[in-house]
Amino acid sequence: MSLNNELVTKAVNSLIAHTKKKEENEESTNLFANTVEPMHLIVTVKKISHKMRIKPYRIPLRNCLYDESSSVCLIIKNHDEEHVEKLKNLGFPVIKEIVSMHDLKSKYNGFETKRQLMNAHDLFLTDDRVINGLPKALGGKFYLAKKIPAPVNLRAKNLRNEIGKALKCTYYKAARGSCNSVRVGTTDMAPALLIENTMGTLDNLVKHIPKGWDNIQSVGIKTGTSLTLPIYNALPNASTVINNAAADDDEAMEDVEGETEGAEKKGKKGKKEKANKKSKKSPLSRTKAKNIVMAHAKKRAEATA
């Protein structure tokens, strides 16, 4: 199973055109408006998996999302000066800040400071040994904003290669609901690069969804301010449709027969009740009965006289 390349191309071009139009409108009112938006792949599943996983899946990208103008924050376990210097000397100018777990609990322990940290960086990498403690240390805002830290093995022998691979990936974490979102690029990227990332990301993402394509209902792409443009929608199983239709027809016939039978019984019952009402005589009052008896007595007296 694969996506329709022509449909993906149309959707990507439409989103870029929408962004440019939005940019023109905003420039006339706000000179400092930031019109570069992330582009996400939206995958809706039929059945939700109840297995929750804190560690996100690593999805390799054909075209990297981050360049020297991007900002990446690296979260480490302990603030060791020697280790920090080693990380800085790896030659990744995109890593703008290195934060320890102690810093998160002391320097960034307030709501406002956490919000500033979240907005200051495009991507967060973290030592895989501390990932289970991050939800409490960072707060729910990070996860709602899809700024989930991506784990890296800082004990790897080739540390430069490990971090390099992490920067060339996007990350997928299954949502609690049926709709999942994965970042595939930004609106300032060339359309051809966005198309390649979209196609390649979905091919790898399907491997991490239970039952794969059989469990995917729909796929679309969107920016942060646009509607979701559909690029795939699963059709219902033909045999299921026929069986359901036959079952619906049987139920409908049973309902009609039941209603007809009920109407006939009700009609017969109504006629019977009406006949019984006609055959029954209403009881006479004592006064009326006394008058009738006296009238008969009077007639007999007149007849004997």
Side-chain angles (χ1 to χ4, degrees):
M1 182 71 69
S2 61
L3 295 176
N4 185 323
N5 187 71
E6 184 179 353
L7 192 59
V8 175
T9 302
K10 287 182 179 179
V12 168
N13 290 332
S14 297
L15 288 178
I16 292 176
H18 165 76
T19 305
K20 288 182 178 179
K21 186 176 181 180
K22 180 173 173 287
E23 180 181 354
E24 292 173 358
N25 295 334
E26 288 189 353
E27 281 182 352
S28 61
T29 56
N30 186 2
L31 297 176
F32 302 99
N34 182 16
T35 54
V36 178
E37 297 184 39
M39 190 174 291
H40 290 90
L41 181 70
I42 309 299
V43 179
T44 304
V45 297
K46 298 175 183 177
K47 293 185 179 181
I48 303 170
S49 175
H50 297 288
K51 294 181 180 179
M52 299 308 297
R53 174 186 166 106
I54 296 177
K55 186 177 180 179
Y57 292 103
R58 183 181 288 186
I59 308 293
L61 287 172
R62 297 178 183 178
N63 305 287
C64 185
L65 299 179
Y66 310 102
D67 54 23
E68 293 185 2
S69 63
S70 303
S71 179
V72 176
C73 177
L74 178 61
I75 301 173
I76 60 177
K77 185 177 181 180
N78 300 313
H79 189 82
D80 183 357
E81 291 293 340
E82 184 179 349
H83 186 52
V84 171
E85 285 299 320
K86 182 180 177 181
L87 293 171
K88 289 181 178 179
N89 294 330
L90 289 175
F92 291 105
V94 70
I95 299 179
K96 301 292 195 300
E97 186 176 4
I98 298 176
V99 179
S100 68
M101 287 295 290
H102 180 266
D103 293 333
L104 290 179
K105 296 175 182 178
S106 57
K107 185 179 177 181
Y108 297 103
N109 61 341
F111 176 81
E112 183 61 26
T113 53
K114 287 180 181 179
R115 187 185 66 82
Q116 291 174 357
L117 178 66
M118 179 184 70
N119 294 332
H121 303 289
D122 301 304
L123 174 68
F124 288 84
L125 299 177
T126 181
D127 190 334
D128 57 3
R129 292 173 292 180
V130 300
I131 194 167
N132 290 333
L134 288 179
K136 183 178 180 180
L138 294 175
K141 282 290 182 180
F142 269 77
Y143 293 83
L144 291 174
K146 306 297 182 184
K147 291 288 185 74
I148 304 172
V152 291
N153 182 11
L154 295 183
R155 305 176 307 282
K157 292 182 179 180
N158 192 342
L159 195 55
R160 179 179 175 80
N161 185 50
E162 174 68 13
I163 295 179
K165 283 183 179 179
L167 293 174
K168 293 179 181 178
C169 293
T170 189
Y171 296 89
Y172 160 67
K173 186 177 185 299
R176 293 182 181 273
S178 60
C179 188
N180 300 277
S181 173
V182 182
R183 187 176 181 181
V184 293
T186 55
T187 52
D188 61 344
M189 294 176 65
L193 302 182
L194 289 172
I195 293 168
E196 287 183 357
N197 278 0
T198 301
M199 304 283 281
T201 298
L202 186 59
D203 290 341
N204 287 285
L205 180 62
V206 170
K207 301 174 185 177
H208 303 295
I209 295 177
K211 297 185 179 180
W213 277 104
D214 292 337
N215 193 30
I216 294 179
Q217 178 59 48
S218 64
V219 181
I221 54 175
K222 72 182 296 293
T223 65
T225 58
S226 74
L227 297 174
T228 301
L229 300 184
I231 55 178
Y232 170 82
N233 207 330
L235 295 175
N237 191 332
S239 60
T240 303
V241 173
I242 293 172
N243 291 336
N244 289 344
D248 291 341
D249 290 342
D250 291 342
E251 289 180 5
M253 289 300 296
E254 288 177 3
D255 291 341
V256 170
E257 292 175 358
E259 289 179 4
T260 304
E261 186 178 351
E264 290 176 355
K265 288 182 179 179
K266 189 174 181 181
K268 290 179 181 179
K269 186 177 180 181
K271 290 179 181 179
K272 190 175 181 180
E273 289 179 353
K274 192 173 181 181
N276 290 338
K277 285 181 181 179
K278 288 182 178 179
S279 62
K280 288 181 181 178
K281 294 181 179 181
S282 57
L284 297 175
S285 63
R286 288 185 179 183
T287 304
K288 193 173 182 179
K290 185 177 179 181
N291 292 337
I292 292 173
V293 172
M294 290 179 65
H296 282 289
K298 186 177 181 182
K299 284 182 180 181
R300 285 198 298 270
E302 290 175 355
T304 55

